[in-house]
Amino acid sequence: MISGDSIVALSSGRLPAGVAVIRISGPQSQLVVETIAGSIVQNRVAAYRKFRAPDGSVLDSGLVVFFAGPNSFTGEDIAEFHVHGGRAVVAKMLETIAGFDGVRHAEPGEFTRRAFLNGKVDLVETEALADLVNAETEAQRRFAVQNAEGVQSELYLGWRRRLIHARAMIEAEIDFADEDDVPGSVAETVWSDVHAMIDEIERHVQGFRAAEIIRDGFEVVILGAPNAGKSSLFNALARREAAIVTEEPGTTRDLLEVVLDLEGMRVRVTDTAGLRETPGRIEAIGIERARSKAGTADLLLVLEDMVEPVPIWAIPADVPSLQVGTKVDLLKDGAPVAAMRYDAVISTRDGTGLAELLAEIARRAAAQIGQGDILPSRLRHVELLNETKRFLLAAVTGSERGQELRAEELRLAADRLGRIVGAVDVEDMLDVIFSQFCIGK
């Protein structure tokens, strides 16, 4: 699909900057380059030029690169102007380029949308590009790069090819049962492969939680009695005074959150209200929020003051936890014996044990994520994969319904896999997917 109009946008980061990149895609790209740069430039070779408006006035000077379609990101002619990154320079360049007939400002994600419509990327790779742009940690970057290179798409397309082949074999057995070259046992092999595929899809879907952790973060919740050192630990991890610390019980009444980058992984740490049996009315609300947050955590840090230990109750049994002894610097005699009760002992005053605690949190986060696994990166994928599995289960358990209806279940399953990568019937979801992109991508 070649668009009738051209689009232009700033494709680099926030201004001001040392260099700004202005991108144009569409049939007017070559004319814009010839007019502003003075002449056409060699394909895919950067050239230094003085940029002028159609009236001859100088706009700026910098590099211009032209990418002739279809060998470009969008599949159309693309040009990039690398100019000085001042706001006034960029504004004038955009105003000038958008002044050409047939050129308009791009909508969010419109460059990538054109790449999809022209067959340069599929939907899964498109979503991976959005993840790559938004990546903040090394784990997020690796995950996005893997999917942008088509690893996830190839898995889904591979399943789809197997289903198309299975359906073809079954229909061949139905239509040409009297032919010598169509063996009657072909269906047995087909259904064996479908059973295997159901198991593969189920294992793959189970990895969605790991993908959520990569994108949204490994959820760590700090629990403990009042004055157990929760806010002090929270501030130490945040490396700033993010929470108020006093000796008065009930100081923390709401949930406070800080995001850490631990060994390339996103980790969200939440400070909570101190848990006790007789709180005030407002404090009780904070305690209820703490218990609710604890139930959805990936890891609980259950803190206890080693000098004056106060146990807490009703810790979610199904959530992994670390028992952490605090204020170890205040212990005199018997510290080694007291420490045996805990998984970790720390002091926020002198830093004892903090590095080891962070290392253990990182280790547990890494264990949840896994290494190099192909994971479903969107809830959309999971929903369609579950539909796929439902149709496959109907096919393998419906022997009494006849081969024709079972083959139709396989067609519906393959259709759902096709929707994941955008091979079939996805027009209704395109606006939602591309709206997550920034302008210029």
Side-chain angles (χ1 to χ4, degrees):
M1 184 206 80
I2 302 300
S3 303
D5 56 355
S6 298
I7 54 175
V8 63
L10 173 68
S11 290
S12 53
R14 183 180 302 174
L15 303 177
V19 175
V21 178
I22 296 172
R23 174 188 286 176
I24 177 173
S25 177
Q28 298 297 96
S29 299
Q30 183 169 333
L31 173 63
V32 170
V33 170
E34 290 176 344
T35 303
I36 292 180
S39 65
I40 192 60
V41 297
Q42 186 178 348
N43 185 38
R44 308 180 76 86
V45 176
Y48 177 78
R49 296 292 173 85
K50 184 162 289 192
F51 302 140
R52 297 179 183 272
D55 64 5
S57 61
V58 176
L59 300 170
D60 193 18
S61 58
L63 297 179
V64 59
V65 190
F66 182 75
F67 303 89
N71 298 318
S72 68
F73 173 67
T74 62
E76 305 171 334
D77 287 350
I78 282 184
E80 289 183 354
F81 296 93
H82 297 228
V83 300
H84 293 93
R87 290 188 176 91
V89 173
V90 170
K92 189 61 178 178
M93 286 288 294
L94 289 173
E95 177 189 340
T96 301
I97 296 172
F100 283 77
D101 289 339
V103 181
R104 60 174 175 82
H105 292 284
E107 299 293 332
E110 194 166 2
F111 287 93
T112 308
R113 184 169 188 151
R114 292 189 177 199
F116 167 73
L117 294 174
N118 290 325
K120 307 300 287 187
V121 292
D122 62 33
L123 277 188
V124 174
E125 292 166 344
T126 293
E127 291 165 327
L129 288 175
D131 288 341
L132 193 57
V133 170
N134 295 320
E136 296 177 341
T137 67
E138 176 61 14
Q140 291 173 337
R141 185 198 66 79
R142 288 197 307 266
F143 185 51
V145 167
Q146 181 186 48
N147 292 335
E149 290 180 341
V151 175
Q152 190 180 356
S153 296
E154 184 53 37
L155 176 65
Y156 300 149
L157 290 173
W159 284 334
R160 186 167 181 257
R161 285 192 294 267
R162 286 163 64 183
L163 287 180
I164 292 172
H165 173 75
R167 183 184 170 204
M169 292 298 98
I170 292 173
E171 292 185 350
E173 190 171 272
I174 295 170
D175 296 337
F176 306 106
D178 56 340
E179 298 290 338
D180 293 338
D181 58 347
V182 180
S185 62
V186 67
E188 295 180 11
T189 304
V190 165
W191 296 123
S192 175
D193 187 50
V194 172
H195 274 289
M197 200 180 309
I198 291 172
D199 293 338
E200 293 169 21
I201 291 174
E202 190 169 331
R203 287 195 299 271
H204 179 67
V205 168
Q206 289 172 355
F208 181 57
R209 179 56 193 147
E212 286 185 308
I213 291 174
I214 293 173
R215 180 183 294 106
D216 301 328
F218 185 73
E219 192 85 47
V220 177
V221 175
I222 303 174
L223 295 178
N227 293 330
K230 300 183 300 302
S231 295
S232 295
L233 173 59
F234 182 78
N235 288 341
L237 297 180
R239 297 186 179 181
R240 58 187 175 87
E241 294 299 313
I244 299 173
V245 178
T246 72
E247 295 182 358
E248 180 181 345
T251 301
T252 301
R253 298 186 176 185
D254 208 346
L255 303 179
L256 302 176
E257 183 178 282
V258 65
V259 177
L260 308 179
D261 185 340
L262 295 185
E263 299 182 16
M265 293 170 291
R266 180 182 173 91
V267 176
R268 298 206 315 264
V269 180
T270 302
D271 186 23
T272 63
L275 304 182
R276 57 176 174 169
E277 296 298 325
T278 57
R281 184 171 61 89
I282 297 178
E283 188 183 351
I285 297 174
I287 291 175
E288 180 57 33
R289 289 180 178 178
R291 295 193 187 280
S292 176
K293 187 70 172 178
T296 62
D298 296 303
L299 177 66
L300 301 178
L301 300 183
V302 184
L303 271 57
E304 188 173 271
D305 183 344
M306 296 176 67
V307 179
E308 299 179 7
V310 177
I312 59 173
W313 311 104
I315 301 299
D318 57 342
V319 179
S321 63
L322 287 175
Q323 303 297 316
V324 181
T326 64
K327 306 179 185 179
V328 65
D329 57 298
L330 299 181
L331 287 181
K332 303 302 181 184
D333 299 326
V337 176
M340 293 175 62
R341 298 174 46 199
Y342 305 100
D343 299 310
V345 293
I346 64 170
S347 167
T348 57
R349 180 172 296 179
D350 62 18
T352 299
L354 292 180
E356 291 79 5
L357 179 61
L358 286 172
E360 179 61 18
I361 294 172
R363 186 190 69 79
R364 295 198 176 213
Q368 287 280 347
I369 291 173
Q371 295 294 328
D373 298 329
I374 303 176
L375 308 173
S377 55
R378 289 288 192 282
L379 180 60
R380 178 180 75 86
H381 304 168
V382 172
E383 291 171 345
L384 287 168
L385 286 167
N386 283 331
E387 288 187 35
T388 301
K389 188 176 74 170
R390 178 166 59 83
F391 287 123
L392 294 181
L393 286 170
V396 298
T397 58
S399 57
E400 73 286 349
R401 293 186 299 152
Q403 297 286 58
E404 293 89 345
L405 292 178
R406 299 175 79 186
E408 175 62 11
E409 300 286 1
L410 296 184
R411 185 193 69 80
L412 293 171
D415 172 82
R416 296 314 187 269
L417 291 172
R419 292 187 184 194
I420 298 178
V421 297
V424 293
D425 190 24
V426 294
E427 187 64 31
D428 56 339
M429 69 178 73
L430 293 186
D431 289 340
V432 175
I433 291 174
F434 289 106
S435 65
Q436 66 188 301
F437 281 85
C438 58
I439 293 175
K441 182 58 182 168

